[in-house]
Amino acid sequence: MKDWEQIRKNYPLIQKGGYFNTASFGALSLNTIEAQKRHLDDILVYGNGKYDEWMALYYGLKVELADYLKTKAPNVTFFPNVSNGINKICDLLSKDKEVILIREDFPSVTLPWITQQFKVKWIEYEDFINHYLGILEKELADGNKILCLSWVFYNHGFMIDPIKVGELCKKYNSYFILDATQGLGAFELDMGKAHIDFMVASCFKWFMAGYGVTIGAVSDSILNQYRAHQSGWNMLKDTEGSMEDKSNYKSDASRFEIGHVKFQNIKMLSDSFYEMKSIGFDSIAGRTKLLTRSLRNKLDEKGIEVLTPTRDAASSIISIRSNQTILKKLKEAKIACTPRKDYVRFAVYFYNNTEDIDELIDCLKY
């Protein structure tokens, strides 16, 4: 049985008060930070003398992530952020295809398609959360389209079923592009079963790996049909070989990484990933769901208006209606959360506990 209280001690940020802000920034562990310090010490002493060791770590992490995502290592890549990744896939795909987007989805998901002048079909958020599978089937029925959306919506935590959505995209010969930022880490994702063509996930939230690295995964279909439009030295198999010989171009997903490897960011993600793996991804997901359910039940018991949709489509994000009185009480209680317009967002994770939840509920009493 996991000693969750002992695990909690490894995350200093959550010791300051109730930390319900992982949807904005995941608490870094002492182990991850200490490993990063050692990496910086190596740079100080050796410069890039450990380059081969760092590359081995980089390739090893891709193998681990491929296993986690139920895909293959050559299909895994890294981006500096989600916006960069979505722009890369926009560059590849034909502007003749209609793109289906959801209102109130995060701008990283929607804006690149607009600025790159794709034809956009908007689905209203309120309609989507009530009947999303039926609406998507109707919009995809003509076939040969692009669907780009979030796995978990950042505002109120609505969570789609990627497998069911992927089945629709496959049925109607359409590309499925997923921003998994607000779900991956807390919950596992099967790239194959979900028929996902292109996936991105920032790692400074639920992967607790700080800013600067985003996981990407690309389907064989995309890799086989399209060559990257942007280029750099790192997309060459042999950097001393011919730049004009196309057989010298990488064919796997690493061709999206056109410049040098961001070793410090990769190292941070690697250390956090292996620490999460040691805890157990199933254990992390199970505890997160248990604590989220506890918070939801207590909010309902107190008659507090919850904006997060039905429990069946709920993630570990819960939003409630807010006002200045609530925000003041939260601030005074040193509870970390995310205020937005007329609501406040709470994000529950495995390093929370029942005492955190009770403290939050006490703070929300009128």
Side-chain angles (χ1 to χ4, degrees):
M1 188 171 180
K2 301 291 181 185
D3 186 346
W4 293 108
E5 290 306 308
Q6 187 62 36
I7 291 171
R8 276 171 54 86
K9 293 177 182 177
N10 198 32
Y11 299 88
L13 182 58
I14 69 171
Q15 313 302 328
K16 299 179 180 180
Y19 192 78
F20 292 95
N21 211 27
T22 302
S24 289
F25 188 82
L28 302 181
S29 77
L30 288 170
N31 294 338
T32 298
I33 292 300
E34 288 303 316
Q36 188 69 191
K37 289 177 180 177
R38 291 193 296 272
H39 178 68
L40 291 172
D41 284 340
D42 283 344
I43 295 173
L44 181 67
V45 175
Y46 303 107
N48 69 344
K50 292 195 173 184
Y51 182 87
D52 290 344
E53 180 182 319
W54 299 339
M55 285 301 294
L57 180 144
Y58 161 81
Y59 286 121
L61 180 58
K62 284 193 172 184
V63 171
E64 289 286 342
L65 288 171
D67 182 65
Y68 175 70
L69 294 167
K70 308 298 187 294
T71 186
K72 299 171 290 186
N75 296 73
V76 175
T77 189
F78 299 110
F79 300 105
N81 50 59
V82 165
S83 295
N84 180 275
I86 297 294
N87 271 284
K88 291 280 179 67
I89 192 64
C90 285
D91 285 343
L92 292 188
L93 300 182
S94 170
K95 291 181 173 58
D96 294 335
K97 295 179 183 290
E98 182 180 72
V99 182
I100 300 170
L101 303 175
I102 317 302
R103 296 259 188 218
E104 295 192 38
D105 208 340
F106 200 72
S108 300
V109 178
T110 57
L111 189 57
W113 304 99
I114 298 169
T115 58
Q116 296 207 35
Q117 300 182 327
F118 278 80
K119 181 183 178 182
V120 173
K121 170 64 177 180
W122 288 103
I123 298 176
E124 299 301 322
Y125 176 73
E126 291 300 328
D127 296 332
F128 181 77
I129 62 176
N130 291 316
H131 310 286
Y132 78 96
L133 289 174
I135 290 173
L136 287 179
E137 179 149 29
K138 180 180 177 181
E139 296 298 337
L140 291 166
D142 292 341
N144 200 34
K145 296 186 179 181
I146 302 167
L147 173 64
C148 183
L149 78 172
S150 293
W151 183 11
V152 176
F153 284 73
Y154 78 99
N155 49 7
H156 302 322
F158 178 75
M159 186 176 191
I160 67 164
D161 183 332
I163 293 178
K164 291 181 179 179
V165 172
E167 288 171 350
L168 288 176
C169 289
K170 182 181 179 182
K171 178 179 178 180
Y172 294 111
N173 192 34
S174 295
Y175 287 123
F176 182 18
I177 298 168
L178 187 71
D179 177 4
T181 293
Q182 293 290 12
L184 200 64
F187 308 106
E188 294 188 55
L189 181 68
D190 190 317
M191 288 283 297
K193 285 185 178 179
H195 306 292
I196 298 169
D197 292 291
F198 190 88
M199 186 281 298
V200 283
S202 293
C203 297
F204 63 91
K205 300 175 188 283
W206 306 95
F207 267 112
M208 306 171 292
Y211 295 109
V213 62
T214 288
I215 298 168
V218 189
S219 69
D220 286 334
S221 175
I222 294 288
L223 292 176
N224 293 335
Q225 289 185 62
Y226 300 97
R227 289 196 176 273
H229 291 179
Q230 300 177 21
S231 59
W233 72 270
N234 198 34
M235 69 177 292
L236 295 174
K237 296 176 183 177
D238 178 5
T239 56
E240 296 181 0
S242 171
M243 290 183 287
E244 298 175 337
D245 179 4
K246 291 185 179 180
S247 67
N248 192 29
Y249 297 173
K250 291 178 180 177
S251 59
D252 65 11
S254 66
R255 66 185 187 227
F256 289 101
E257 304 166 48
I258 59 178
H260 63 273
V261 177
K262 310 297 189 294
F263 287 119
Q264 286 176 251
N265 304 116
I266 297 299
K267 172 68 171 151
M268 184 86 87
L269 174 58
S270 176
D271 290 322
S272 184
F273 179 87
Y274 284 115
E275 186 166 3
M276 293 174 73
K277 185 178 179 180
S278 71
I279 296 171
F281 285 105
D282 286 344
S283 296
I284 287 172
R287 179 167 172 82
T288 300
K289 290 176 182 177
L290 180 68
L291 291 171
T292 305
R293 193 178 306 119
S294 174
L295 175 56
R296 179 70 184 249
N297 289 341
K298 291 183 178 182
L299 289 169
D300 289 343
E301 289 170 6
K302 298 299 179 183
I304 296 170
E305 183 182 4
V306 176
L307 301 177
T308 302
T310 61
R311 293 169 183 269
D312 291 340
S315 60
S316 50
I317 294 173
I318 295 178
S319 293
I320 66 169
R321 192 74 66 190
S322 181
N323 55 47
Q324 289 303 312
T325 300
I326 290 176
L327 295 180
K328 182 180 179 182
K329 291 173 73 174
L330 290 169
K331 185 176 181 180
E332 289 173 349
K334 298 182 179 179
I335 291 177
C337 54
T338 306
R340 290 186 180 275
K341 293 184 179 179
D342 59 346
Y343 68 92
V344 60
R345 183 184 70 185
F346 306 106
V348 183
Y349 210 17
F350 70 92
Y351 46 49
N352 290 117
N353 61 14
T354 55
E355 287 78 8
D356 289 340
I357 292 172
D358 290 340
E359 181 186 6
L360 174 58
I361 294 297
D362 287 342
C363 189
L364 295 174
K365 289 179 181 177
Y366 292 100

